PDB file of all heavy atoms in Angstrom:
ATOM      1  N   LEU Z 182     -77.700  95.176  30.186  1.00 97.00           N
ATOM      2  CA  LEU Z 182     -78.674  94.112  30.450  1.00 97.00           C
ATOM      3  C   LEU Z 182     -79.141  94.133  31.903  1.00 97.00           C
ATOM      4  O   LEU Z 182     -80.328  93.961  32.187  1.00 97.00           O
ATOM      5  CB  LEU Z 182     -78.049  92.756  30.128  1.00 97.00           C
ATOM      6  CG  LEU Z 182     -78.226  92.209  28.715  1.00 97.00           C
ATOM      7  CD1 LEU Z 182     -77.427  90.921  28.554  1.00 97.00           C
ATOM      8  CD2 LEU Z 182     -79.696  91.974  28.383  1.00 97.00           C
ATOM      9  N   GLU Z 183     -78.197  94.329  32.813  1.00 96.00           N
ATOM     10  CA  GLU Z 183     -78.554  94.359  34.235  1.00 96.00           C
ATOM     11  C   GLU Z 183     -79.511  95.504  34.529  1.00 96.00           C
ATOM     12  O   GLU Z 183     -80.455  95.348  35.322  1.00 96.00           O
ATOM     13  CB  GLU Z 183     -77.285  94.476  35.084  1.00 96.00           C
ATOM     14  CG  GLU Z 183     -77.522  94.470  36.579  1.00 96.00           C
ATOM     15  CD  GLU Z 183     -77.717  95.866  37.143  1.00 96.00           C
ATOM     16  OE1 GLU Z 183     -77.209  96.825  36.538  1.00 96.00           O
ATOM     17  OE2 GLU Z 183     -78.382  95.990  38.199  1.00 96.00           O
ATOM     18  N   ASP Z 184     -79.290  96.651  33.883  1.00 96.00           N
ATOM     19  CA  ASP Z 184     -80.194  97.801  34.079  1.00 96.00           C
ATOM     20  C   ASP Z 184     -81.604  97.465  33.588  1.00 96.00           C
ATOM     21  O   ASP Z 184     -82.593  97.804  34.243  1.00 96.00           O
ATOM     22  CB  ASP Z 184     -79.654  99.015  33.318  1.00 96.00           C
ATOM     23  CG  ASP Z 184     -78.306  99.470  33.826  1.00 96.00           C
ATOM     24  OD1 ASP Z 184     -78.276 100.275  34.770  1.00 96.00           O
ATOM     25  OD2 ASP Z 184     -77.289  99.018  33.287  1.00 96.00           O
ATOM     26  N   LEU Z 185     -81.673  96.796  32.438  1.00 97.00           N
ATOM     27  CA  LEU Z 185     -82.973  96.430  31.885  1.00 97.00           C
ATOM     28  C   LEU Z 185     -83.719  95.471  32.807  1.00 97.00           C
ATOM     29  O   LEU Z 185     -84.915  95.649  33.086  1.00 97.00           O
ATOM     30  CB  LEU Z 185     -82.791  95.796  30.500  1.00 97.00           C
ATOM     31  CG  LEU Z 185     -84.059  95.282  29.819  1.00 97.00           C
ATOM     32  CD1 LEU Z 185     -85.076  96.402  29.626  1.00 97.00           C
ATOM     33  CD2 LEU Z 185     -83.712  94.627  28.477  1.00 97.00           C
ATOM     34  N   VAL Z 186     -83.006  94.460  33.305  1.00 96.00           N
ATOM     35  CA  VAL Z 186     -83.646  93.504  34.208  1.00 96.00           C
ATOM     36  C   VAL Z 186     -84.053  94.191  35.511  1.00 96.00           C
ATOM     37  O   VAL Z 186     -85.131  93.930  36.056  1.00 96.00           O
ATOM     38  CB  VAL Z 186     -82.703  92.321  34.488  1.00 96.00           C
ATOM     39  CG1 VAL Z 186     -83.289  91.398  35.539  1.00 96.00           C
ATOM     40  CG2 VAL Z 186     -82.432  91.546  33.199  1.00 96.00           C
ATOM     41  N   ALA Z 187     -83.205  95.098  35.999  1.00 94.00           N
ATOM     42  CA  ALA Z 187     -83.497  95.781  37.261  1.00 94.00           C
ATOM     43  C   ALA Z 187     -84.774  96.617  37.167  1.00 94.00           C
ATOM     44  O   ALA Z 187     -85.634  96.550  38.056  1.00 94.00           O
ATOM     45  CB  ALA Z 187     -82.313  96.667  37.662  1.00 94.00           C
ATOM     46  N   VAL Z 188     -84.921  97.392  36.094  1.00 95.00           N
ATOM     47  CA  VAL Z 188     -86.131  98.213  35.979  1.00 95.00           C
ATOM     48  C   VAL Z 188     -87.351  97.341  35.682  1.00 95.00           C
ATOM     49  O   VAL Z 188     -88.476  97.689  36.058  1.00 95.00           O
ATOM     50  CB  VAL Z 188     -85.966  99.309  34.902  1.00 95.00           C
ATOM     51  CG1 VAL Z 188     -84.892 100.313  35.317  1.00 95.00           C
ATOM     52  CG2 VAL Z 188     -85.649  98.726  33.531  1.00 95.00           C
ATOM     53  N   SER Z 189     -87.133  96.207  35.021  1.00 95.00           N
ATOM     54  CA  SER Z 189     -88.247  95.295  34.755  1.00 95.00           C
ATOM     55  C   SER Z 189     -88.761  94.653  36.040  1.00 95.00           C
ATOM     56  O   SER Z 189     -89.958  94.395  36.185  1.00 95.00           O
ATOM     57  CB  SER Z 189     -87.822  94.206  33.770  1.00 95.00           C
ATOM     58  OG  SER Z 189     -87.401  94.760  32.539  1.00 95.00           O
ATOM     59  N   MET Z 190     -87.856  94.399  36.980  1.00 95.00           N
ATOM     60  CA  MET Z 190     -88.225  93.763  38.239  1.00 95.00           C
ATOM     61  C   MET Z 190     -88.707  94.757  39.299  1.00 95.00           C
ATOM     62  O   MET Z 190     -89.281  94.344  40.308  1.00 95.00           O
ATOM     63  CB  MET Z 190     -87.020  92.984  38.793  1.00 95.00           C
ATOM     64  CG  MET Z 190     -86.588  91.808  37.951  1.00 95.00           C
ATOM     65  SD  MET Z 190     -85.053  91.051  38.566  1.00 95.00           S
ATOM     66  CE  MET Z 190     -85.551  90.528  40.200  1.00 95.00           C
ATOM     67  N   ASN Z 191     -88.452  96.031  39.071  1.00 93.00           N
ATOM     68  CA  ASN Z 191     -88.756  97.050  40.081  1.00 93.00           C
ATOM     69  C   ASN Z 191     -90.257  97.342  40.123  1.00 93.00           C
ATOM     70  O   ASN Z 191     -90.806  97.975  39.220  1.00 93.00           O
ATOM     71  CB  ASN Z 191     -87.972  98.333  39.785  1.00 93.00           C
ATOM     72  CG  ASN Z 191     -87.991  99.302  40.942  1.00 93.00           C
ATOM     73  OD1 ASN Z 191     -88.839  99.218  41.835  1.00 93.00           O
ATOM     74  ND2 ASN Z 191     -87.049 100.226  40.936  1.00 93.00           N
ATOM     75  N   ARG Z 192     -90.907  96.902  41.164  1.00 91.00           N
ATOM     76  CA  ARG Z 192     -92.345  97.100  41.290  1.00 91.00           C
ATOM     77  C   ARG Z 192     -92.719  98.560  41.557  1.00 91.00           C
ATOM     78  O   ARG Z 192     -93.888  98.926  41.464  1.00 91.00           O
ATOM     79  CB  ARG Z 192     -92.887  96.214  42.414  1.00 91.00           C
ATOM     80  CG  ARG Z 192     -92.824  94.724  42.112  1.00 91.00           C
ATOM     81  CD  ARG Z 192     -93.201  93.906  43.315  1.00 91.00           C
ATOM     82  NE  ARG Z 192     -92.226  94.069  44.394  1.00 91.00           N
ATOM     83  CZ  ARG Z 192     -92.338  93.505  45.596  1.00 91.00           C
ATOM     84  NH1 ARG Z 192     -93.387  92.757  45.880  1.00 91.00           N
ATOM     85  NH2 ARG Z 192     -91.412  93.688  46.511  1.00 91.00           N
ATOM     86  N   ARG Z 193     -91.740  99.381  41.880  1.00 91.00           N
ATOM     87  CA  ARG Z 193     -92.011 100.798  42.112  1.00 91.00           C
ATOM     88  C   ARG Z 193     -92.234 101.570  40.820  1.00 91.00           C
ATOM     89  O   ARG Z 193     -92.707 102.706  40.839  1.00 91.00           O
ATOM     90  CB  ARG Z 193     -90.849 101.434  42.878  1.00 91.00           C
ATOM     91  CG  ARG Z 193     -90.597 100.823  44.246  1.00 91.00           C
ATOM     92  CD  ARG Z 193     -89.291 101.311  44.834  1.00 91.00           C
ATOM     93  NE  ARG Z 193     -89.004 100.686  46.121  1.00 91.00           N
ATOM     94  CZ  ARG Z 193     -88.446  99.480  46.264  1.00 91.00           C
ATOM     95  NH1 ARG Z 193     -88.151  98.770  45.178  1.00 91.00           N
ATOM     96  NH2 ARG Z 193     -88.212  98.981  47.457  1.00 91.00           N
ATOM     97  N   LEU Z 194     -91.875 100.959  39.704  1.00 91.00           N
ATOM     98  CA  LEU Z 194     -92.006 101.622  38.409  1.00 91.00           C
ATOM     99  C   LEU Z 194     -93.232 101.098  37.676  1.00 91.00           C
ATOM    100  O   LEU Z 194     -93.614  99.937  37.815  1.00 91.00           O
ATOM    101  CB  LEU Z 194     -90.754 101.369  37.557  1.00 91.00           C
ATOM    102  CG  LEU Z 194     -89.421 101.837  38.151  1.00 91.00           C
ATOM    103  CD1 LEU Z 194     -88.272 101.426  37.244  1.00 91.00           C
ATOM    104  CD2 LEU Z 194     -89.416 103.348  38.364  1.00 91.00           C
ATOM    105  N   ASP Z 195     -93.828 101.961  36.871  1.00 91.00           N
ATOM    106  CA  ASP Z 195     -94.993 101.567  36.080  1.00 91.00           C
ATOM    107  C   ASP Z 195     -94.597 100.837  34.798  1.00 91.00           C
ATOM    108  O   ASP Z 195     -95.434 100.222  34.145  1.00 91.00           O
ATOM    109  CB  ASP Z 195     -95.822 102.805  35.723  1.00 91.00           C
ATOM    110  CG  ASP Z 195     -96.442 103.440  36.956  1.00 91.00           C
ATOM    111  OD1 ASP Z 195     -96.732 102.702  37.908  1.00 91.00           O
ATOM    112  OD2 ASP Z 195     -96.614 104.676  36.960  1.00 91.00           O
ATOM    113  N   GLY Z 196     -93.337 100.947  34.435  1.00 92.00           N
ATOM    114  CA  GLY Z 196     -92.861 100.305  33.210  1.00 92.00           C
ATOM    115  C   GLY Z 196     -91.415 100.699  32.976  1.00 92.00           C
ATOM    116  O   GLY Z 196     -90.751 101.282  33.838  1.00 92.00           O
ATOM    117  N   ILE Z 197     -90.900 100.373  31.804  1.00 95.00           N
ATOM    118  CA  ILE Z 197     -89.532 100.737  31.460  1.00 95.00           C
ATOM    119  C   ILE Z 197     -89.460 102.249  31.277  1.00 95.00           C
ATOM    120  O   ILE Z 197     -90.227 102.813  30.488  1.00 95.00           O
ATOM    121  CB  ILE Z 197     -89.073 100.035  30.170  1.00 95.00           C
ATOM    122  CG1 ILE Z 197     -89.298  98.515  30.283  1.00 95.00           C
ATOM    123  CG2 ILE Z 197     -87.611 100.345  29.892  1.00 95.00           C
ATOM    124  CD1 ILE Z 197     -88.532  97.854  31.379  1.00 95.00           C
TER     125      ILE Z 197
END
Side-chain angles (χ1 to χ4, degrees):
L182 269 175
E183 182 269 334
D184 297 273
L185 177 59
V186 174
V188 294
S189 300
M190 294 174 61
N191 193 341
R192 292 173 294 177
R193 299 169 183 83
L194 301 176
D195 294 330
I197 307 298

